[in-house]
Amino acid sequence: MTQAAAADVVIVGGGIMGAATALFLRRYGRSVILLERGLVGQQASGVNFGNVRRQGRFLPQLPLANRARKVWGELQELLGEDAEFVPNGHLRVCFRKEEVGRLEQYAEDARPYGLDLELISRNALRVRFPYLSADAIAGSFSPKDGHANPRLAAPAFARAAVRAGAAVYENTEVTAIAKAADDFILETSSRARFRAPIVQISAGAWAGALAALFDAPVPLQPRGPQMAVTEPAPYAIAPSIGVFSDVEEEGVYLRQVTRGNIVYGGGLRGPALPEIRRAYVDPANTLRQFQHVRRLVPALAALNIIRTWSGIEGYVDDEIPVIGPSAHTAGLYYAFGFCGHGFQLGPGVGEVMAELIATGATTTPIEPFHISRFARA
Amino acid sequence: MAEPRIVIVGAGPAGMRAAARLVEAGLCPVVVDEAPASGGQIYRRQPRQFHRAAASLYGFEARKATGLHRMFDALLPRIDYRPETLAWNVYENVVHLRHGTESEALRFDALILAPGATDRIMPLPGWTLPGVYSLGGAQIALKAQACAIGARPAFLGTGPLLYLVAYQYVRAGAAVAAVLDTSPLAGRIAALPALSARPSMLAKGLYYTAWLAAHGVGMLSGVTPLAITGEGRVHQLRLRDSRGSEQIIACDAVGLGYGLRSETQLADLARCEFAFDAPSRQWLPVTDTDGRSSVPGVYLAGDGVRAAGADAAELAGRLAACAVLADLGRTVRPAETALLRRRLARTARFGRGLELGFSWPARLAGELPDATLVCRCEAITAGEIRGAASTFGAPEMNRAKAFVRIGMGRCQGRYCGLAGAEVLAAARGVPVEKVGRLRGQAPVKPLSISLAGAAP
């Protein structure tokens, strides 16, 4: 049997959570091994919309989102590249009268968390965002949010972690984890073995089976975002924009990258097959989205989409992630199940997990996300 | 029981023959084609208001072309023919079609994909200058529009089309500046035994070269293209000849092409298995001898599976239709399929000879200057692709695409994918099959957001 490579911490899963945790753990001086079944940032972290959005989140998540937003603003210094983060603001608009009050309520509720949202009337929307359709009757603007390029972010964290001394193993799938005395022993598909007194599981949609070895099962479903991008058009749309609606298929969102393409997604989710590592865009969803993005920005009817894509995201039944230590096993930590809204949080989760692992506590409240919420009564 | 719905994508030689065979069996297939008229690229019909003789359009193939056109026209009352219709996606036994401003979802029992091929391009400095066309594009200009790409065009690349297009241009009155083949003459001589599998095709090829020589057209083999230059449009082509001396060819247009690449995106979207084909250095969908893909109900025929030319496509189309019929439990005489397979094997041997004699110049990719554009949709240079390997450590093409955007534009890598893979493989120092292939992603061609359509 091969000698197990050892480190202070082994991280299972090289998405943005795992890659950011690896980097911040190095800053605490901990030795780190990051194991990724495919390539870093290839699934949920790499295929998502790229929203760097705080508004609309579950309120107790805002301190974590605020911490993440601070790191987004420091990427250039931290990583030597900015992953195309543009803090041009995030706008939520609604189409129905009864929804206006809920946007107002959220703005009021978010203020104590330090998130200041500007409510915009129908007429002011026309003036400031003239490309929006007349159906948009109110908006809520978060000026310091924005968007970034998900294809670049997680790999940039992983490369920075490697430069800082972390060991990253790609194409290395963890097949078993067992705790022997003080150390966890991890077996992998590449036959290499790893050991560490501390393990973090941040394996997205694949995390459920590993976590179930130690804690109560997490109701986790794999789904795929339904993304598309248009041909380039003259740059006009600065903020990231999403529709606020209870009707799932109306909830589309879009952003324009500086080179002109408009990236959009939202509405119904598509099928994802973790066992073959593929997720698909259902063409029926493509056609449904056409209708709803036209309703949001009518001029988009003049553009073509040139590509659609998906990837595998993990959705927890209660729509919030699992973050924090195991309920039963010392040295085991979780950060997974981000339900399609983890990209913005990633850098913050990395900082918080590293702090928690290195110091035993974190200044950012994460109790609502503890895995013990699934423990059977 | 309702009649099975069979959808054929493509109305070139393969799709036309498949349709004919299904009609013979009493079925009414749907035939979807992007073009306004059947015939495919090779037997493309001229616009209605044009009245040139078939002989001037199709040369030696005039009889074959008009025969196929007549055959297909006679089928029209018995098939559901959808011209000017794009198959933009295949998903769970449903093919998604765009016609005008509508999208339609068509459930199928069997799908025969015969989408054909495009030119295969190896970039060189200056290849995006106005006046540079693909060989196929140069031919379509002549065939469909009676236009030449220039008064003094040069033709560069390799493959039988290089000589055929030059011949057609001289016949049309152009002063062809030169025919420049990157394949060495020795390679074509080595390929003669395989090419003699089809003596009449070989004879035609030899005829074109002899005819071009007799008409004073300069022809060079084993050239290394260096650059196309000019201010705002093509003025000259620089190359190194087989002896290593630099030559400058004055010209006002360039027709460029290195054989064909199969249009495999629909097979990919249908989740067909692919395998690397070493002689052509491409990843191609896997089929059995009769055209069955790895996915039940999905059949592949013609240049869209492997570029083997029009005659092979006719045979493969008919054979795929026989496979569909057999799989639907209809009787197909074994003698028919046996004959088709035998004839197809002969065209395949000839096709191998062409690949040997006119090989894709993979070596040129490694030598491309860093500043040369490879992906023109996204303006990605050879140097940026190399950066995907060196800076980002991209092990394969989809990863390189994610980092530096090669193949992310309007054509979705259809034109740059093969050359880009060679650049990446050379930069990484690995065989080209190790860098994989760009995965097909819907839509197959750009799709308007104005499109209306319902779920199936």
Side-chain angles (χ1 to χ4, degrees):
Chain A
M1 200 170 258
T2 51
Q3 183 73 34
D8 295 336
V9 184
V10 170
I11 300 171
V12 182
I16 193 165
M17 307 299 163
T21 307
L23 174 64
F24 290 114
L25 276 171
R26 285 303 302 141
R27 303 187 121 208
Y28 281 102
R30 298 299 189 275
S31 62
V32 184
I33 291 172
L34 176 65
L35 305 177
E36 163 53 41
R37 86 168 26 75
L39 300 174
V40 165
Q42 210 172 15
Q43 295 294 343
S45 303
V47 303
N48 69 81
F49 173 63
N51 235 355
V52 181
R53 162 189 71 86
R54 287 174 292 170
Q55 69 168 326
R57 286 180 186 275
F58 175 54
L59 290 164
Q61 204 175 61
L62 285 177
L64 182 57
N66 289 340
R67 187 160 175 182
R69 172 60 186 82
K70 186 166 174 297
V71 184
W72 278 106
E74 298 160 354
L75 283 195
Q76 188 67 48
E77 302 86 87
L78 192 65
L79 308 178
E81 56 191 295
D82 64 3
E84 297 175 9
F85 173 51
V86 278
N88 285 346
H90 177 269
L91 177 66
R92 282 210 296 176
V93 300
C94 66
F95 296 143
R96 294 182 182 82
K97 278 204 185 82
E98 59 270 28
E99 290 156 350
V100 180
R102 289 166 62 196
L103 286 182
E104 290 167 353
Q105 185 66 49
Y106 189 87
E108 197 179 315
D109 295 343
R111 197 164 301 118
Y113 291 93
L115 178 62
D116 287 322
L117 301 174
E118 180 191 355
L119 293 163
I120 303 176
S121 70
R122 182 182 200 147
N123 290 342
L125 277 179
R126 289 294 82 66
V127 174
R128 285 173 62 179
F129 310 101
Y131 41 80
L132 286 177
S133 90
D135 282 6
I137 57 169
S140 166
F141 188 64
S142 178
K144 291 188 178 140
D145 288 345
H147 53 90
N149 188 336
R151 289 179 287 103
L152 304 179
F157 272 101
R159 283 196 308 279
V162 168
R163 286 196 299 272
V168 175
Y169 294 79
E170 294 185 313
N171 301 307
T172 303
E173 178 165 18
V174 173
T175 52
I177 305 178
K179 189 157 189 192
D182 289 338
D183 275 359
F184 293 90
I185 309 289
L186 296 93
E187 310 284 344
T188 68
S189 56
S190 67
R191 322 237 353 219
R193 300 166 72 238
F194 300 89
R195 69 186 300 151
I198 294 171
V199 165
Q200 174 177 315
I201 294 174
S202 41
W206 289 266
L210 296 174
L213 298 172
F214 302 95
D215 282 276
V218 173
L220 185 69
Q221 307 298 328
R223 300 297 284 161
Q226 309 286 280
M227 303 304 310
V229 63
T230 70
E231 59 199 328
Y235 187 72
I237 303 175
S240 174
I241 304 174
V243 174
F244 173 65
S245 169
D246 286 332
V247 181
E248 196 181 0
E249 69 169 78
E250 287 184 357
V252 295
Y253 35 78
L254 60 86
R255 65 188 178 98
Q256 187 173 24
V257 299
T258 42
R259 63 187 304 290
N261 309 70
I262 292 153
V263 179
Y264 70 76
L268 306 184
R269 294 171 195 135
L273 306 173
E275 55 283 7
I276 59 162
R277 304 184 195 177
R278 291 306 307 268
Y280 300 96
V281 176
D282 183 338
N285 285 341
T286 300
L287 293 167
R288 281 187 199 102
Q289 285 176 327
F290 281 176
Q291 215 177 305
H292 297 295
V293 299
R294 287 198 306 258
R295 185 180 183 190
L296 180 57
V297 178
L300 292 187
L303 293 180
N304 289 299
I305 60 162
I306 57 176
R307 183 163 33 93
T308 59
W309 70 93
S310 187
I312 300 174
E313 297 177 329
Y315 286 84
V316 184
D317 279 4
D318 60 9
E319 294 281 326
I320 58 171
V322 176
I323 309 174
S326 161
H328 301 291
T329 306
L332 183 62
Y333 295 84
Y334 299 118
F336 67 87
F338 283 84
C339 309
H341 63 246
F343 181 64
Q344 188 275 348
L345 295 177
V349 170
E351 225 184 47
V352 165
M353 295 308 292
E355 184 187 19
L356 182 62
I357 289 168
T359 70
T362 170
T363 51
T364 304
I366 54 169
E367 292 72 25
F369 312 109
H370 197 268
I371 196 163
S372 61
R373 72 185 192 269
F374 300 108
R376 296 214 178 87
Chain B
M1 200 182 100
E3 185 178 296
R5 183 187 274 151
I6 303 167
V7 178
I8 300 170
V9 177
M16 294 162 104
R17 286 295 178 197
R21 183 63 186 86
L22 295 171
V23 167
E24 281 171 33
L27 296 172
C28 173
V30 179
V31 180
V32 174
D33 192 45
E34 272 187 87
S38 63
Q41 298 296 350
I42 183 151
Y43 304 130
R44 175 183 287 270
R45 302 192 197 201
Q46 57 189 335
R48 281 180 194 289
Q49 68 276 23
F50 284 51
H51 300 286
R52 289 165 294 165
S56 75
L57 284 174
Y58 308 112
F60 287 131
E61 319 300 334
R63 240 172 134 154
K64 225 183 270 175
T66 49
L68 258 184
H69 292 159
R70 260 200 298 273
M71 181 281 290
F72 192 77
D73 291 346
L75 292 180
L76 291 180
R78 298 158 73 189
I79 63 173
D80 179 355
Y81 172 50
R82 318 269 189 103
E84 296 184 300
T85 302
L86 169 73
W88 63 269
N89 205 350
V90 180
Y91 187 84
E92 292 173 351
N93 287 340
V94 175
V95 58
H96 292 263
L97 307 177
R98 179 201 68 201
H99 177 72
T101 57
E102 297 283 324
S103 186
E104 184 184 356
L106 217 53
R107 195 166 288 285
F108 60 80
D109 297 292
L111 175 67
I112 301 178
L113 297 174
T118 71
D119 291 279
R120 190 171 182 179
I121 300 294
M122 176 62 77
L124 75 157
W127 73 290
T128 55
L129 270 177
V132 183
Y133 292 77
S134 72
L135 279 177
Q139 195 183 35
I140 288 168
L142 207 56
K143 219 185 268 184
Q145 299 295 328
C147 290
I149 60 169
R152 193 169 168 69
F155 294 99
L156 168 67
T158 196
L161 194 60
L162 182 66
Y163 299 89
L164 175 62
V165 174
Y167 165 81
Q168 290 170 333
Y169 265 74
V170 177
R171 301 263 326 213
V176 170
V179 178
L180 308 160
D181 195 327
T182 53
S183 306
L185 199 56
R188 260 165 283 154
I189 292 164
L192 279 175
L195 293 174
S196 63
R198 300 182 66 197
S200 68
M201 292 294 282
L202 178 59
K204 267 182 248 172
L206 294 172
Y207 173 82
Y208 293 135
T209 41
W211 189 94
L212 287 166
H215 286 75
V217 176
M219 283 180 286
L220 294 176
S221 283
V223 306
T224 301
L226 297 176
I228 299 167
T229 55
E231 290 292 321
R233 64 162 303 126
V234 174
H235 286 151
Q236 59 185 36
L237 175 58
R238 279 196 307 116
L239 58 93
R240 218 168 31 239
D241 66 23
S242 58
R243 283 184 306 236
S245 340
E246 200 169 311
Q247 292 206 24
I248 289 174
I249 310 286
C251 52
D252 63 357
V254 175
L256 182 69
Y258 296 84
L260 299 178
R261 58 157 285 282
S262 301
E263 286 277 53
T264 57
Q265 314 100 290
L266 284 168
D268 208 356
L269 293 169
R271 305 182 200 175
C272 296
E273 194 183 306
F274 279 56
F276 185 70
D277 179 60
S280 66
R281 296 173 75 88
Q282 310 184 51
W283 288 83
L284 295 171
V286 176
T287 63
D288 72 358
T289 49
D290 297 0
R292 290 180 185 85
S293 76
S294 62
V295 176
V298 178
Y299 303 77
L300 311 170
D303 283 349
V305 197
R306 151 170 290 122
D311 295 344
E314 284 191 51
L315 296 166
R318 192 169 172 93
L319 194 52
C322 289
V324 169
L325 291 168
D327 294 349
L328 289 171
R330 309 271 174 135
T331 312
V332 179
R333 285 185 308 111
E336 179 182 2
T337 47
L339 178 65
L340 288 168
R341 285 179 198 146
R342 257 200 320 279
R343 293 175 62 196
L344 197 58
R346 204 175 318 144
T347 62
R349 205 155 88 78
F350 180 78
R352 286 301 180 217
L354 289 180
E355 276 160 5
L356 189 67
F358 301 100
S359 59
W360 162 248
R363 65 188 163 89
L364 297 179
E367 297 162 13
L368 280 180
D370 275 346
T372 307
L373 279 186
V374 174
C375 164
R376 65 188 305 171
C377 298
E378 291 292 312
I380 306 303
T381 63
E384 286 171 280
I385 299 168
R386 290 168 187 143
S390 59
T391 308
F392 295 98
E396 54 89 41
M397 280 300 281
N398 296 292
R399 194 65 164 171
K401 174 179 171 180
F403 287 133
V404 303
R405 315 188 61 87
I406 169 153
M408 258 197 186
R410 280 189 177 88
C411 91
Q412 285 299 296
R414 288 159 64 233
Y415 291 94
C416 66
L418 293 174
E422 299 286 0
V423 174
L424 184 65
R428 291 184 52 80
V430 299
V432 72
E433 60 268 34
K434 295 280 184 220
V435 302
R437 65 190 177 89
L438 290 171
R439 263 192 305 276
Q441 286 169 284
V444 165
K445 302 267 171 76
L447 195 67
S448 171
I449 291 177
S450 67
L451 212 60

